[in-house]
Amino acid sequence: MSRIGKKSIPLPKGVKVTVTGSHILVEGPKGKLERDLHPLVTVKTTDQGLEVVRANEDRIAKSMHGMTRTLVSNMVQGVVTPFTKSLEINGVGYRAELKGATLNLQLGLSHDVNHPIPKAVTCTVDKQTTVVLTSPDKELLGQVAAEIRAYRKCEPYKGKGVKYVGERVRRKEGKTGA
């Protein structure tokens, strides 16, 4: 049995969970999240909280067991305390600016990059070089952060580009002229 999957998910105060068939709805003080679950896995409400149960001992059911438990746990955790990702922009002339629901990035390209920010994600820009993304949906938050980072990944020679705060970029030594 999956070690992660067999753990129950505790429900904090103020969190309401509705399970209808293979659809789960989690409501809390910071938002509302919903998801369709895999048909081989079901979520049941118990006295301790939520419990994820698989339909059989099939290989796919086993692999979905732990993953579904983690996804539901992230949903419960996100509606209580939203998740946060921070991006750092390094480079001369590289900057970010928030214009409504669009993040305007100047990353040394011939044009500005305008990235739309979904409604479920809140974005703030500090000192034009730090972008802070916050959302109760961990999956959506990671996707938006990865899309922003993909415009100009941090390069190893000068360290210019977009990186996560705390990410270590392995620096390389440049060519030596003879």
Side-chain angles (χ1 to χ4, degrees):
M1 185 157 207
S2 172
R3 289 185 205 173
I4 295 172
K6 66 183 176 183
K7 292 180 184 176
S8 65
I9 302 166
L11 287 177
K13 292 190 190 262
V15 176
K16 181 183 164 200
V17 177
T18 308
V19 180
T20 52
S22 65
H23 187 78
I24 185 167
L25 173 71
V26 180
E27 295 178 275
K30 300 290 182 178
K32 179 171 84 168
L33 297 173
E34 49 187 320
R35 171 181 292 280
D36 287 324
L37 303 174
H38 197 276
L40 293 176
V41 180
T42 58
V43 177
K44 295 181 180 177
T45 308
T46 61
D47 296 337
Q48 291 84 18
L50 297 175
E51 196 170 295
V52 179
V53 181
R54 61 179 178 235
N56 53 33
E57 295 298 313
D58 200 17
R59 183 176 178 206
I60 295 172
K62 285 181 180 181
S63 65
M64 287 293 161
H65 190 205
M67 187 183 82
T68 303
R69 190 256 178 219
T70 303
L71 291 173
V72 173
S73 175
N74 286 340
M75 290 170 69
V76 170
Q77 184 181 349
V79 296
V80 175
T81 56
F83 296 99
T84 302
K85 285 224 183 233
S86 300
L87 297 167
E88 187 179 327
I89 301 173
N90 294 322
V92 177
Y94 287 23
R95 65 181 68 99
E97 182 183 3
L98 192 62
K99 293 182 179 178
T102 305
L103 183 66
N104 183 1
L105 299 165
Q106 295 176 357
L107 299 173
L109 302 171
S110 62
H111 59 283
D112 290 356
V113 176
N114 293 317
H115 187 81
I117 303 295
K119 289 184 181 182
V121 178
T122 57
C123 178
T124 57
V125 178
D126 298 333
K127 299 180 186 174
Q128 296 183 337
T129 59
T130 305
V131 178
V132 180
L133 302 168
T134 308
S135 175
D137 190 353
K138 189 175 186 179
E139 185 177 355
L140 178 65
L141 178 70
Q143 182 65 38
V144 171
E147 288 171 359
I148 293 171
R149 183 175 175 264
Y151 288 122
R152 182 63 70 114
K153 287 186 182 174
C154 206
E155 54 97 12
Y157 295 103
K158 292 185 179 179
K160 296 184 348 180
V162 182
K163 66 175 184 169
Y164 297 112
V165 170
E167 177 184 3
R168 290 188 43 102
V169 176
R170 189 165 171 209
R171 300 295 292 267
K172 291 182 179 180
E173 193 175 320
K175 290 183 184 179
T176 55

